[in-house]
């Protein structure tokens, strides 16, 4: 009798906690690291249930209407309202006389705020070292400038209000030695109604452009054999479900090996679904948690969904521009060993003409050095088509 | 950007500390402090491609002061800070304030509290921000990238800003006390009826509960509350400035009254949600501390030139010579020309 009572109390306590896997309210699993899994569609519905339609519409309300409504709701007279408006006006925040034109690019002299003191110190240090601007900073906001502030499209091309926007970071393949998990290779913005196949098509990986095979005897035939066309299978892995790409007849289910291995080794059961049938609003994901994208059978990328939110009027509202690229990592390109001007396209080994083994050449230098005027192969060498990492710069 | 996060936080806390000392929740008071500190200069000197990221950082830092567990006055200060930063930022088009879904209830409660206490400027500013679409409705307040490598110093929330603990008052509410007195009366009656039938009624082993439990409990809670108030007014008297006007005092009194009425009233659910979050914070810090690797710190090496210079112990003339240009080319120039060059060098 006494044993049963504590159990009953424990069950009661458990049932009191609301299971938030079913509600769409994201909570931290580990603070500032990632959230618990939540359903994207439910998240959207939760927000839309809490907001009034004018809160998330893209049109700007009329200010006078807003003030009139506010005064009516709070029961304020016209005088009180005018007083309130002037008391809360932004003009009271101005820190310099009205006619003084200040440049916002200079740090003011005699700064009192700690941020400014540190910024000034950093600027002085930077100017004394004469650090050159690097290419990452130079192009940092290039993509952003193209899209932010575009006038909203009208008509069918416009994103409907209340749509969900996801920010997705895609990282370099696991075989890269640098920047494996720190710098994203690219950042994409997707809408909730996009399918996973659209994300897959938007991901640019150079392994898709690689050509397998030795082409020293037939250098002109090479471009017909791009890997992307040969090996079309790919999958995404989100929260225990493998989403396979089955659009083309050549596509195979490459996740089946993992699923069967897991079954045989007492792992939790994984399930499978089709990439082309799943939209982002149907997914149940964790924000900030790494997931997997695998293509070409062995090229694996980590994918992290960094943010999920409702569309705002300052976002790009043209449906045709999505998936939208907002950040791209710029890799150093390998140049030809001969001219140092063009990007390398051929990779040779066992080459008697080359200064090193292996060696990189651009197309022109390669042909001039290794083939005579009729196109016959000269000397001994192996030649492979080379795709540079910076091909997408 | 991580270093500037610390400084931005320090600046915001300095502003809010001064706001707290004024013991007012009026926007004019806040604007005075803002102008005095020339806070809008915080955006000056930011490099072009970092503007948007900096504005995002500043708004994020200010956002946490708008939510519990900070006291009502600090939250109002946080709201004013968000409003001011949003309109003085330099990113164009403006960077939005990220409002997370889990914080929506708190924001609504704050708004209702402000309406009940008739703080019209706070309500107007909040509604104005909604009207101008200054908020982005997100899942989480920041972008999450699974960064377990960086050992983030868990920011210690400033003690003075946190709401005064009112857990005892909220646990022991009037409804609870009534119920307890009912139950204890029932118990006494049952005990009396059972004892009257027994042979040894005077046995002290039957006295298992405290007599007058309910009145003692309410007395203790009242004492605690009075002690808290006295302690606070004592601290304020130590720190207060000379010219605290009567109007401000009455403002504060009505503020306290509104909070007190809420504390003794029904709403234990506010604290429950807050408490839940506190517990969560503690347990996850332990879990994540176990997860985290030893911190990855980046050691900045001095340049080779500097290291060589420091390593070589040059003395006197040799050092001076090594720092200046070589004069070997003077061997091949005419005497008159070389004298001119030497003169220029010396001057």
């Amino acid at each position: 009798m006494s044993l049963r009572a504590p159990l009953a109390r424990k069950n009661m306590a458990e049932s009191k906690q609301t299971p938030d896997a079913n509600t769409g309210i994201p909570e931290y699993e580990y603070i500032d690291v990632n959230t618990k899994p939540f359903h994207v569609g439910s998240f959207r519905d939760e927000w839309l249930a809490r907001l009034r339609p004018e809160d998330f519409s893209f049109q700007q309300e009329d200010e006078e209407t807003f003030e009139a409504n506010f005064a009516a709701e709070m029961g304020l007279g016209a005088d009180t309202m005018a007083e309130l408006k002037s008391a809360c006006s932004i003009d009271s925040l101005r820190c310099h006389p009205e006619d003084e034109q200040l440049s916002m690019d200079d740090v003011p002299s005699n700064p009192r705020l700690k941020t400014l003191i540190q910024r000034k110190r950093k600027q002085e240090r930077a100017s004394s070292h004469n650090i050159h601007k690097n290419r990452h900073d130079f192009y940092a906001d290039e993509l952003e400038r193209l899209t932010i502030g575009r006038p909203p499209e009208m008509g069918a091309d416009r994103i409907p209000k209340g749509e969900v926007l996801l920010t997705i970071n895609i990282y370099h393949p696991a075989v890269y030695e640098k920047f494996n998990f720190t710098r994203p290779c690219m950042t994409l913005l997707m809408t909730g109604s996009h399918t996973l196949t659209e994300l897959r098509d938007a991901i640019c990986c150079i392994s898709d452009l690689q050509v397998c095979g030795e082409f020293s005897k037939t250098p002109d035939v090479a471009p017909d054999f791009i890997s992307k066309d040969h090996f079309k299978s790919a999958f995404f892995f989100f929260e225990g479900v493998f989403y396979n790409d089955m659009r083309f007849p050549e596509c195979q289910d490459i996740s089946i090996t993992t699923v069967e291995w897991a079954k045989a080794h007492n792992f939790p059961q994984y399930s499978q679904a089709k990439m082309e049938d799943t939209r982002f609003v149907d997914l149940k994901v964790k924000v900030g948690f790494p997931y997997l994208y695998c293509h070409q059978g062995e090229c694996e990328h980590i994918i992290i969904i960094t943010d999920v939110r409702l569309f705002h009027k300052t976002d790009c509202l043209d449906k045709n521009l999505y998936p939208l690229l907002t950040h791209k990592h710029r890799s150093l390109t390998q140049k030809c060993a001969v001219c140092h001007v063009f990007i390398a396209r051929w990779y040779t080994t066992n080459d008697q003409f080359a200064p090193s083994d292996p060696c990189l050449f651009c197309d022109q230098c390669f042909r001039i050095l290794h083939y005579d005027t009729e196109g016959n192969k000269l000397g001994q060498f192996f030649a492979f088509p080379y795709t540079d990492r910076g091909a997408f710069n | 950007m991580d270093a500037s996060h610390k400084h931005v936080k320090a600046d915001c806390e300095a502003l809010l500390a001064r706001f707290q000392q004024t013991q007012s929740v009026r926007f004019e008071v806040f604007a005075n402090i803002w102008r005095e500190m020339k806070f809008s200069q915080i955006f000056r000197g930011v490099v072009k491609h970092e503007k948007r990221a900096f504005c995002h950082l500043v708004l994020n830092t200010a956002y946490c002061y708008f939510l519990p567990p900070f006291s009502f006055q600090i939250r109002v200060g946080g709201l004013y800070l968000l409003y001011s930063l949003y309109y003085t930022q330099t990113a164009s088009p403006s960077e939005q304030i990220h409002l997370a879904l889990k914080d929506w209830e708190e924001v609504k409660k704050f708004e209702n509290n402000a309406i009940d206490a008739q703080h019209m400027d706070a309500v107007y500013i909040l509604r104005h921000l909604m009207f101008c679409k200054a908020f982005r409705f997100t899942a989480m307040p920041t972008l999450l990238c699974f960064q377990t490598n960086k050992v983030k110093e868990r920011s210690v929330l400033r003690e003075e800003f946190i709401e005064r603990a009112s857990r005892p008052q909220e646990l022991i509410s009037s409804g609870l006390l009534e119920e307890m007195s009912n139950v204890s009366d029932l118990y006494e009656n049952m005990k009396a009826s059972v004892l009257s039938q027994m042979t040894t009624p005077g046995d002290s082993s039957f006295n298992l509960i405290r007599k007058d439990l309910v009145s003692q409990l309410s007395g203790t809670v009242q004492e605690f509350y009075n002690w808290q108030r006295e302690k606070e007014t004592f601290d304020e008297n130590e720190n207060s400035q000379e010219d605290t006007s009567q109007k401000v005092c009455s403002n504060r009194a009505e503020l306290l009254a509104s909070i007190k009425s809420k504390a003794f009233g029904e709403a234990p659910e506010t604290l429950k949600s807050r408490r839940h979050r506190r517990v969560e914070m503690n347990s996850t810090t332990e879990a994540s501390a176990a997860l985290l690797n030893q911190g990855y710190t980046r050691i900045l090496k001095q340049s080779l030139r500097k290291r060589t210079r420091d390593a070589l112990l040059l003395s006197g003339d040799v050092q001076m010579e090594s720092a200046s240009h070589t004069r070997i080319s003077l061997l091949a120039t005419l005497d008159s020309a070389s004298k001119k060059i030497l003169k220029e060098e010396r001057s």
Side-chain angles (χ1 to χ4, degrees):
Chain A
M1 180 75 175
S2 55
L3 277 175
R4 227 174 274 167
L7 265 177
R9 239 178 279 137
K10 185 182 167 214
N11 287 337
M12 251 179 62
E14 275 175 357
S15 64
K16 267 192 203 151
Q17 290 168 5
T18 45
D20 42 351
N22 290 337
T23 66
I25 304 182
E27 293 279 350
Y28 277 123
E29 189 176 22
Y30 298 106
I31 292 200
D32 284 340
V33 176
N34 64 280
T35 64
K36 297 191 181 129
F38 66 95
H39 187 251
V40 176
S42 314
F43 163 77
R44 186 181 105 197
D45 297 335
E46 296 276 352
W47 258 129
L48 295 182
R50 287 163 170 75
L51 298 170
R52 306 169 308 165
E54 49 269 20
D55 290 332
F56 56 88
S57 81
F58 302 136
Q59 258 101 22
Q60 185 61 52
E61 272 178 87
D62 178 38
E63 185 147 9
E64 285 175 7
T65 332
F66 160 71
E67 282 168 17
N69 290 341
F70 184 78
E73 193 185 329
M74 301 293 152
L76 301 174
D79 291 338
T80 332
M81 191 64 218
E83 212 183 289
L84 182 65
K85 190 177 167 187
S86 69
C88 300
S89 130
I90 315 159
D91 296 330
S92 55
L93 298 170
R94 197 182 300 115
C95 294
H96 54 88
E98 202 165 314
D99 45 5
E100 193 182 321
Q101 286 298 327
L102 278 179
S103 151
M104 289 306 269
D105 293 332
D106 312 317
V107 184
S109 48
N110 304 325
R112 283 166 57 194
L113 295 171
K114 289 198 183 137
T115 323
L116 290 174
I117 295 173
Q118 187 239 5
R119 195 176 292 156
K120 194 161 189 181
R121 220 181 286 159
K122 202 169 159 191
Q123 266 184 4
E124 282 164 6
R125 230 185 304 149
S127 59
S128 70
H129 282 186
N130 198 21
I131 295 173
H132 296 290
K133 236 191 240 178
N134 62 5
R135 64 182 189 281
H136 298 290
D137 290 339
F138 198 61
Y139 292 109
D141 57 347
E142 176 197 0
L143 293 166
E144 192 187 274
R145 267 185 277 140
L146 289 172
T147 54
I148 281 201
R150 276 177 80 106
E153 303 287 329
M154 302 307 290
D157 282 344
R158 201 178 180 193
I159 304 269
K161 73 175 186 183
E163 179 68 275
V164 166
L165 177 70
L166 296 107
T167 320
I168 304 178
N169 273 2
I170 296 129
Y171 291 79
H172 290 285
V175 292
Y176 275 28
E177 13 1 291
K178 279 191 189 183
F179 310 134
N180 250 339
F181 311 113
T182 45
R183 274 194 226 177
C185 171
M186 49 200 292
T187 305
L188 285 172
L189 297 181
M190 312 279 310
T191 67
S193 39
H194 274 130
T195 56
L196 290 176
T197 44
E198 280 158 325
L199 174 62
R200 191 224 158 155
D201 294 335
I203 296 178
C204 314
C205 176
I206 50 136
S207 61
D208 279 336
L209 300 177
Q210 268 166 3
V211 179
C212 305
E214 206 270 309
F215 288 98
S216 55
K217 297 199 181 69
T218 52
D220 301 318
V221 193
D224 292 347
F225 291 88
I226 295 185
S227 295
K228 191 170 187 175
D229 301 326
H230 271 284
F231 310 115
K232 290 202 178 117
S233 318
F235 69 79
F236 283 105
F237 176 74
F238 290 114
E239 286 299 304
V241 185
F242 286 94
Y243 298 94
N244 290 298
D245 190 357
M246 292 303 207
R247 287 176 289 173
F248 308 104
E250 303 96 33
C251 289
Q252 294 166 3
D253 181 5
I254 50 179
S255 61
I256 194 74
T257 21
T258 322
V259 174
E260 284 174 358
W261 178 90
K263 262 190 230 169
H265 286 80
N266 269 340
F267 264 68
Q269 193 79 307
Y270 295 128
S271 54
Q272 294 174 304
K274 283 205 183 156
M275 212 194 268
E276 55 270 23
D277 296 336
T278 319
R279 296 176 310 153
F280 278 102
V281 283
D282 306 323
L283 281 181
K284 198 165 150 203
V285 284
K286 297 185 195 177
V287 169
F289 194 74
Y291 292 113
L292 188 68
Y293 166 61
C294 180
H295 65 135
Q296 303 282 325
E298 56 170 10
C299 186
E300 294 173 340
H301 299 253
I302 287 189
I303 289 194
I304 297 184
I305 300 177
T306 54
D307 193 19
V308 182
R309 60 179 171 85
L310 294 181
F311 261 93
H312 189 266
K313 71 174 188 186
T314 51
D315 295 323
C316 176
L317 295 174
D318 187 355
K319 218 192 274 188
N320 299 328
L321 290 176
Y322 285 91
L324 187 62
L325 188 64
T326 43
H327 165 77
K328 183 99 188 58
H329 180 76
R330 295 174 178 279
S331 319
L332 272 175
T333 50
Q334 304 281 353
K335 305 284 196 304
C336 169
V338 177
C339 60
H340 296 299
V341 174
F342 293 108
I343 295 178
R345 283 191 53 208
W346 288 97
Y347 177 100
T348 55
T349 49
N350 280 1
D351 191 356
Q352 65 189 104
F353 301 116
S356 62
D357 187 8
C359 193
L360 295 170
F361 294 97
C362 69
D363 199 47
Q364 279 190 327
C365 297
F366 175 70
R367 286 179 200 273
I368 291 170
L369 189 59
H370 296 93
Y371 299 91
D372 62 15
T373 42
E374 270 108 57
N376 299 320
K377 178 176 167 179
L378 304 167
Q380 295 286 324
F381 61 91
F382 295 120
F384 307 93
Y386 177 77
T387 345
D388 189 81
R389 262 182 222 180
F392 292 113
N393 276 3
Chain B
M1 208 42 86
D2 291 322
S4 44
H5 173 254
K6 260 191 327 198
H7 298 291
V8 168
K9 193 157 185 270
D11 288 331
C12 290
E13 285 185 354
L15 178 71
L16 287 173
R18 287 172 73 163
F19 184 62
Q20 191 183 38
Q21 276 177 352
T22 63
Q23 295 175 15
S24 160
V25 286
R26 298 276 80 83
F27 183 69
E28 295 123 331
V29 177
F30 180 87
N32 283 340
I33 304 175
W34 173 279
R35 274 198 305 275
E36 211 186 333
M37 287 180 78
K38 296 200 179 148
F39 212 83
S40 43
Q41 286 181 347
I42 204 170
F43 292 108
R44 285 182 66 181
V46 186
V47 193
K48 202 173 109 189
H49 53 263
E50 282 177 16
K51 263 191 196 161
R52 186 158 287 277
F54 180 72
C55 294
H56 183 75
L57 169 74
V58 152
L59 286 173
N60 253 355
T61 317
Y63 175 72
C64 71
Y65 296 107
F66 181 41
L67 302 171
F70 296 112
S71 67
F72 184 78
Q73 193 195 13
I74 294 295
R75 288 176 72 177
V76 171
L79 172 66
Y80 293 158
L81 186 61
L82 275 173
Y83 177 74
S84 318
L85 288 169
Y86 180 74
Y87 279 107
T88 49
Q89 64 173 303
T90 48
S92 105
S94 335
E95 182 64 26
Q96 263 65 35
I97 305 166
H98 284 226
L99 180 59
L101 182 57
K102 60 182 174 68
D103 300 329
W104 177 255
E105 297 298 329
E106 303 293 340
V107 171
K108 275 288 150 196
K109 273 188 200 138
F110 170 84
E111 193 184 346
N112 293 334
N113 281 349
I115 292 176
D116 292 339
Q118 291 286 304
H119 295 303
M120 284 298 129
D121 42 8
V123 186
Y124 177 77
I125 281 177
L126 182 57
R127 293 274 175 93
H128 194 81
L129 283 173
M130 287 289 279
F131 157 75
C132 292
K133 306 203 197 299
F135 290 113
R136 265 192 191 159
F137 304 109
T138 68
M140 284 290 141
T142 48
L143 293 176
L144 297 172
C145 302
F146 202 66
Q147 298 197 319
T148 48
N149 290 341
K150 293 195 179 161
V151 181
K152 286 203 171 125
E153 293 130 19
R154 295 288 166 220
S155 55
V156 178
L157 300 171
R158 240 171 107 144
E159 283 287 325
E160 306 91 55
F161 291 174
I162 296 180
E163 174 123 27
R164 191 183 45 168
S166 48
R167 197 70 185 123
Q169 294 95 302
E170 279 160 30
L171 264 178
I172 316 291
S173 65
S174 50
L176 184 86
L177 287 174
E178 216 179 286
E179 224 180 288
M180 274 183 84
S181 66
N182 283 342
V183 170
S184 88
D185 285 341
L186 253 165
Y187 173 77
E188 290 287 336
N189 293 338
M190 278 186 74
K191 194 164 109 176
S193 64
V194 166
L195 281 179
S196 61
Q197 295 169 16
M198 292 193 64
T199 46
T200 50
D203 198 352
S204 59
S205 64
F206 287 120
N207 299 339
L208 293 167
I209 63 160
R210 254 186 235 232
K211 294 228 160 43
D212 306 324
L213 172 67
V214 175
S215 51
Q216 269 187 11
L217 203 55
S218 66
T220 318
V221 173
Q222 187 69 37
E223 232 180 87
F224 172 74
Y225 177 68
N226 290 336
W227 169 81
Q228 249 189 352
R229 272 188 72 184
E230 266 171 44
K231 185 165 183 288
E232 213 170 280
T233 47
F234 178 66
D235 285 341
E236 281 160 14
N237 284 336
E238 279 189 343
N239 302 336
S240 73
Q241 301 173 15
E242 290 81 29
D243 48 349
T244 44
S245 65
Q246 277 298 315
K247 185 174 166 223
V248 173
C249 279
S250 69
N251 242 351
R252 167 136 174 89
E254 81 187 42
L255 189 70
L256 276 178
S258 73
I259 298 173
K260 176 183 161 186
S261 67
K262 290 238 167 349
F264 272 87
E266 328 77 44
E269 59 262 22
T270 349
L271 263 298
K272 246 192 219 156
S273 68
R274 202 186 302 161
R275 192 188 188 204
H276 168 74
R277 202 176 296 153
R278 265 219 191 115
V279 170
E280 186 193 74
M281 256 161 62
N282 288 339
S283 64
T284 48
T285 42
E286 282 168 27
S288 48
L291 254 193
L292 292 171
N293 306 325
Q294 285 307 309
Y296 170 77
T297 48
R298 202 164 151 224
I299 306 167
L300 287 167
K301 257 163 67 167
Q302 289 177 330
S303 68
L304 181 61
R305 188 176 172 200
K306 188 158 198 307
R307 277 183 276 142
T308 325
R309 213 174 337 130
D310 293 342
L312 288 175
L313 289 173
L314 300 167
S315 56
D317 297 328
V318 180
Q319 188 171 37
M320 273 180 60
E321 264 194 44
S322 71
S324 60
H325 297 294
T326 54
R327 293 196 200 140
I328 294 178
S329 57
L330 292 177
L331 285 173
T333 49
L334 295 171
D335 266 338
S336 51
S338 65
K339 275 197 194 132
K340 226 204 250 169
I341 291 172
L342 282 173
K343 215 195 249 176
E344 272 174 32
E345 229 176 71
R346 267 192 227 114
S347 65

